[in-house]
Amino acid sequence: MRQPDARLQRCEDDAPEAAESYVELAHALAYDDLVSAIYADSGSTSPWVGALERLRELIRANVACIRISHKDMSLPQQLYAAGPKVSPKALEDWEHQHPRELLPFDLKVGEVDVLNWREMPNSRSIYSLLDDYDIAQMAVTCVDSFGGTQITLNCVRGRGDEPFSRMERDFLGIIGTHFRRAMRMRRELTQASIVGQFQTEALDSLGIAAILLTPSRHSYLLNSTAEFALKHKIAMRFWGTGLHAANEADDPAFQKVLREAFNPASVFESKALRICRDESGERLNVIVRRRTHPSFLTGDPEYSVLIFVRVNEAVCRDDIKMLQQLFTFTFTEAQIAVGLANGSCLKDIEGELGISHNTARAHLRSMFLKADVSRQSQLVSLITSSLVPLGREIGNKVQ
């Protein structure tokens, strides 16, 4: 493997023993740089390219690349590559080739092999690419394989280059292990991020603010509805270093529940409270839950507290389209449904919509038939328990 010239320049006039020490030091430093780059690149928007360039230089390859291929051929292959001849066109050329032509044998995870392209029967298109990009041999290791997806790490050399040595093949296998760990970390973090985003969007769509309190009483606002609520002091507010009920009269009961939740000696069950929204006097539903989880630092069990506040009504005007689709209501019927679900009486809804009492009653009878209910209370229960808020556009969650 090639050593960085700058680090070996001072070896020229030294004794052989000193030169050997410098070589070992250069190897160690270059290896550390490469491994660091692999894990650093796992969070990059252009992952692995920096690490692949370091690998390419260390192993004296023309190109180093990661190939992600799928058994399902409708899914596109993905390539991340580094080298003098790497370009968007080159990546496109190679991504369009059949995975089996590019790796005509099976590899187990962690296994390393070398492919001499000149000894393999290939299609004309592959031979053309081999000539265009001066590719004669490839050292390859299977980094990972899961769910019909295979990830390989490939290093290629051109015509006239020396074959990959046993040491270089072993080195590629070791580096493949680091890529596997980094990729699994990236995959798990990405999956957790996606799941977390879906969960927060669901709470936002339902108009529920979610707040996490740590044992040190640090507050994390878990979704946009919580940020909106705290900004406008809806039901909750920050005062001093803690979280408090917005209405001072409600705060003693709220703080008592929090103390119980954080007391490890107490047998705490979820608590429900009614807290004033603001000066209007409207009261909102609040749920306080305790969760046991390992400490981020020590791994010992500790308690955190989750607070949920129903900030918005269960159904609003943003849900009219979903109500029409779910129950085949007309636009006016969906408007009536929203009003009833939010506690308005039929007379008030008639005035708001500018329709007569007889017209409203006719709409209501039609709604009973479409929703398969016989009473207004059943209709309201059906609407408020429906999933229509989850169909809201994300920008229309907080009113």
Side-chain angles (χ1 to χ4, degrees), residues 301-367:
E302 66 180 19
Y303 297 119
S304 289
V305 172
L306 284 166
I307 300 169
F308 299 101
V309 185
R310 189 61 177 266
V311 174
N312 291 353
E313 60 272 15
V315 180
C316 69
R317 293 187 180 277
D318 293 323
D319 304 319
I320 285 177
K321 185 178 179 179
M322 289 291 106
L323 286 169
Q324 289 181 271
Q325 293 178 8
L326 188 62
F327 298 107
T328 67
F329 290 160
T330 66
F331 182 75
T332 301
E333 289 170 352
Q335 288 179 299
I336 293 173
V338 170
L340 293 174
N342 288 308
S344 299
C345 65
L346 192 59
K347 183 177 181 181
D348 290 340
I349 297 172
E350 294 164 7
E352 183 179 345
L353 300 182
I355 58 177
S356 69
H357 180 69
N358 288 339
T359 300
R361 294 298 302 177
H363 281 307
L364 199 57
R365 287 193 294 272
S366 173
M367 293 164 68

Side-chain angles (χ1 to χ4, degrees), residues 100-104 115-127 130:
R100 203 60 182 175
E101 285 194 296
L102 300 175
L103 187 63
L115 175 64
N116 189 330
W117 287 103
R118 299 301 167 181
E119 298 175 356
M120 303 297 298
N122 293 299
S123 66
R124 290 184 178 180
S125 62
I126 290 291
Y127 274 126
L130 295 175

Side-chain angles (χ1 to χ4, degrees), residues 215 262 264 291-304:
F262 279 113
R291 293 299 303 271
T292 306
H293 58 83
S295 167
F296 297 134
L297 296 177
T298 66
D300 296 331
E302 66 180 19
Y303 297 119
S304 289

Side-chain angles (χ1 to χ4, degrees), residues 10 61 120 145 164 169 176 195-196 259-260 279-280 288 324 343 354 387:
R10 52 184 171 173
M120 303 297 298
S145 181
F164 288 99
R169 295 199 297 269
V195 170
R259 286 193 297 271
E260 291 177 4
E279 294 178 357
S280 67
V288 179
Q324 289 181 271
L387 297 178

Side-chain angles (χ1 to χ4, degrees), residues 87-107:
S87 66
K89 182 181 182 306
L91 293 176
E92 184 178 355
D93 286 343
W94 287 98
E95 283 175 346
H96 287 165
Q97 301 305 309
H98 194 285
R100 203 60 182 175
E101 285 194 296
L102 300 175
L103 187 63
F105 47 79
D106 294 322
L107 280 178

